Amino acid sequence: MVYYLIICRSLTYAQRTAAVLERAGVSAHIMRSPRSLDAEGCSHAVKVAERNLSLALTLLSRENLSPRRVFIVSGDGTYDEVFL
Amino acid sequence: MIYLDCAATAMQKPPVVASRMAWAANHLASPGRGGHRPAMLAGEIAFQCRQTAAELFHVESPEQVVFTFNATHGLNIAIKTLVKPGMTVLISGYEHNAVTRPLNAIPGVHLKVAASPLFCPNLFLEDFERKCTDEVSVAVCTHVSNVFGYILPIREVADVCRRRGIPLIVDASQSAGCLPVHMDELDAAFVAMPGHKGLYGPQGTGLLLCGENAQPLLYGGTGSASRQQNMPEFLPDRLEAGTHNVPGIAGLLEGMRFVRSRGVDRILAHERALIKQLTAGLSDVPGVQIYADAGMHCQSGVCSLCCERMGCEELGEELGRRGIAVRAGLHCAPLAHQTAGTLLEGTVRVSVSAFNTKVEIKHFLGQLRTVLATRG
């Protein structure tokens, strides 16, 4: 399954991000960022389905919640950064 | 026990506060310190607490709500962020030691005190504005005096500070939960409050509402940006080193939910009605001086009294023996006593919460009369 990971600077930021998405009906799951995606060490990410990324970014932009980085996770588990 | 010391700690709380704390102690881990269920659930409770506080106090973002151990902790962060050695700081004449001691600890700080008689907000404001001169770098003002329940004109104080471009620190220790405290209207740099008074949370909890970034008081792990050896730049992590008081936060959340469901206005009206009953009941007792606003316009659920025939500590002791908890002395606020002219003897403070009743006040009045009658 392909999905996106929105990397956030802190748990609280990830929670705000997820709350905005969930309020708009976009399913969002908070998780710890995979180690390889996290240069600063320890952060949280919000997982959204492939089909929801565009809507999610629009919603977050409206709330001035800019993602630090976004990655696409392929079915084989590899990550590729999405440059916005 | 009739508990009338709510200005120190609101001991009677909604029962759900204790049950959620017990649940949290057994089911929640450390927020941000793991991806497992107990850690994530702890994070969720912490976020709900921040969100509830942000809504209650009109804070733009939950990230600006920082958990502290108490109001003193928050005030120390705020003061040490804004006040540097040699600065001039304007404070009210009703500040607690939680404000004056941290200021005194910074070398060369010059304090200007805006003082006026009790329950004269217009005179206070005039003095505050007069003393808010160019050399003032920071202002600190309590919203409500912890000794007298005197509500200071904080919105007007905030207006003066905004016009002069002076950052304002508000001590909301006695107002959070029983008076509107709106961060957006005050435009304050920081608002500090305890969790265990008007928010009905447990002791060891507090909130610092941040209008700007701050210097950490403690340094350590935050569960974020761990490779960096500096504290993160972003809130709330920057100010929250070490493991959170998760049971306390879970309890505080329920306390704030209680405040929201009961309503701040209703809580204030209830507390004022009890203080009004108290002052009316004492009006014909000879030798008792009560410090309260006759019109109740700038009076909260705290008031002070003193008796000619008995020292305040002695009276407090005697009431304690009779099952009534009040607080006597200087209430950690010698400046407030100095301003009000009660520094020599101190006062007996009676303070109520949403859980006190008219029957309790009636009983207190009866016991006070009996004690004083024995003194002839």
Side-chain angles (χ1 to χ4, degrees):
Chain A
M1 192 184 69
V2 177
Y3 57 87
Y4 287 95
L5 284 180
I6 300 170
I7 309 293
C8 301
R9 63 188 185 187
S10 71
L11 174 59
T12 313
Y13 203 89
Q15 288 168 319
R16 277 182 71 198
T17 299
V20 166
L21 299 181
E22 293 277 358
R23 263 202 306 275
V26 175
S27 181
H29 175 69
I30 300 170
M31 55 186 280
R32 285 178 71 80
S33 301
R35 189 68 198 85
S36 56
L37 307 187
D38 184 15
E40 289 184 357
C42 299
S43 68
H44 284 77
V46 177
K47 178 179 169 181
V48 295
E50 186 183 16
R51 66 181 181 285
N52 288 334
L53 182 70
S54 171
L55 174 59
L57 294 176
T58 306
L59 290 166
L60 296 179
S61 165
R62 243 180 248 161
E63 298 284 331
N64 288 323
L65 284 166
S66 48
R68 213 167 64 174
R69 296 168 85 185
V70 178
F71 289 86
I72 184 166
V73 185
S74 308
D76 60 2
T78 55
Y79 306 103
D80 285 300
E81 184 157 8
V82 178
F83 294 97
L84 305 171
Chain B
M1 163 71 72
I2 292 178
Y3 186 79
L4 299 172
D5 194 15
C6 304
T9 286
M11 199 172 69
Q12 292 143 309
K13 305 182 202 307
V16 68
V17 171
S19 60
R20 285 299 273 185
M21 286 178 71
W23 168 79
N26 288 304
H27 294 87
L28 303 186
S30 298
R33 268 60 165 197
H36 50 77
R37 175 82 180 140
M40 296 307 276
L41 195 52
E44 179 57 30
I45 294 296
F47 187 65
Q48 284 177 26
C49 195
R50 292 187 211 279
Q51 255 188 327
T52 303
E55 287 163 16
L56 188 57
F57 301 115
H58 295 211
V59 182
E60 195 181 338
S61 158
E63 288 173 289
Q64 294 167 258
V65 177
V66 169
F67 295 124
T68 58
F69 309 136
N70 44 48
T72 301
H73 180 197
L75 286 165
N76 269 267
I77 293 172
I79 287 168
K80 288 180 180 184
T81 295
L82 294 176
V83 181
K84 303 299 170 204
M87 279 185 172
T88 297
V89 179
L90 177 57
I91 63 173
S92 87
Y94 292 93
E95 297 306 314
H96 189 277
N97 277 348
V99 167
T100 55
R101 281 182 172 168
L103 287 170
N104 189 54
I106 301 171
V109 165
H110 172 58
L111 290 185
K112 290 177 91 174
V113 180
S116 64
L118 278 167
F119 308 113
C120 297
N122 291 336
L123 290 180
F124 169 78
L125 200 59
E126 277 176 26
D127 199 39
F128 187 90
E129 197 152 10
R130 192 166 42 242
K131 288 175 175 159
C132 199
T133 49
D134 287 346
E135 76 269 22
V136 172
S137 301
V138 179
V140 190
C141 189
T142 188
H143 192 175
V144 175
S145 160
N146 72 305
V147 181
F148 302 101
Y150 168 29
I151 303 170
L152 280 91
I154 199 70
R155 282 172 67 173
E156 291 80 357
V157 163
D159 281 344
V160 172
C161 291
R162 196 181 304 115
R163 282 201 305 272
R164 309 265 166 101
I166 294 170
L168 172 66
I169 300 169
V170 177
D171 177 359
S173 293
Q174 299 294 338
S175 58
C178 63
L179 281 170
V181 177
H182 293 171
M183 187 73 173
D184 54 353
E185 284 176 11
L186 294 175
D187 198 19
F190 297 99
V191 177
M193 61 187 68
H196 63 284
K197 301 183 198 272
L199 299 181
Y200 298 96
Q203 295 97 319
T205 60
L207 299 172
L208 179 65
L209 313 180
C210 299
E212 53 186 77
N213 213 333
Q215 290 305 310
L217 200 63
L218 295 175
Y219 294 76
T222 57
S224 55
S226 297
R227 276 175 184 265
Q228 283 183 28
Q229 285 306 292
N230 297 321
M231 289 296 282
E233 287 298 319
F234 46 84
L235 291 173
D237 301 35
R238 183 166 176 74
L239 302 179
E240 293 183 357
T243 298
H244 294 87
N245 173 6
V246 174
I249 290 167
L252 176 58
L253 171 60
E254 295 305 329
M256 284 195 292
R257 283 177 171 161
F258 165 78
V259 169
R260 287 184 74 185
S261 68
R262 182 67 62 97
V264 168
D265 292 347
R266 237 178 102 199
I267 290 172
L268 178 64
H270 174 75
E271 292 181 0
R272 267 190 182 152
L274 296 179
I275 297 299
K276 199 170 175 182
Q277 180 193 352
L278 180 82
T279 56
L282 288 174
S283 60
D284 62 343
V285 181
V288 173
Q289 169 146 26
I290 186 143
Y291 300 90
D293 178 23
M296 293 281 140
H297 303 298
C298 41
Q299 180 77 54
S300 73
V302 179
C303 83
S304 262
L305 59 93
C306 57
C307 301
E308 279 173 11
R309 282 168 281 172
M310 213 169 173
C312 66
E313 293 287 358
E314 200 185 353
L315 178 56
E317 282 284 313
E318 184 54 37
L319 288 169
R321 273 195 286 274
R322 290 163 182 265
I324 296 171
V326 293
R327 182 165 170 195
L330 297 183
H331 316 94
C332 301
L335 179 60
H337 282 284
Q338 187 183 324
T339 304
T342 52
L343 184 60
L344 199 61
E345 285 295 325
T347 58
V348 170
R349 182 182 71 183
V350 179
S351 51
V352 297
S353 77
F355 291 94
N356 288 113
T357 64
K358 288 188 170 182
V359 174
E360 288 177 325
I361 297 297
K362 193 176 170 190
H363 183 77
F364 166 80
L365 290 167
Q367 288 295 320
L368 185 66
R369 282 171 191 275
T370 306
V371 170
L372 295 179
T374 61
R375 289 303 177 108

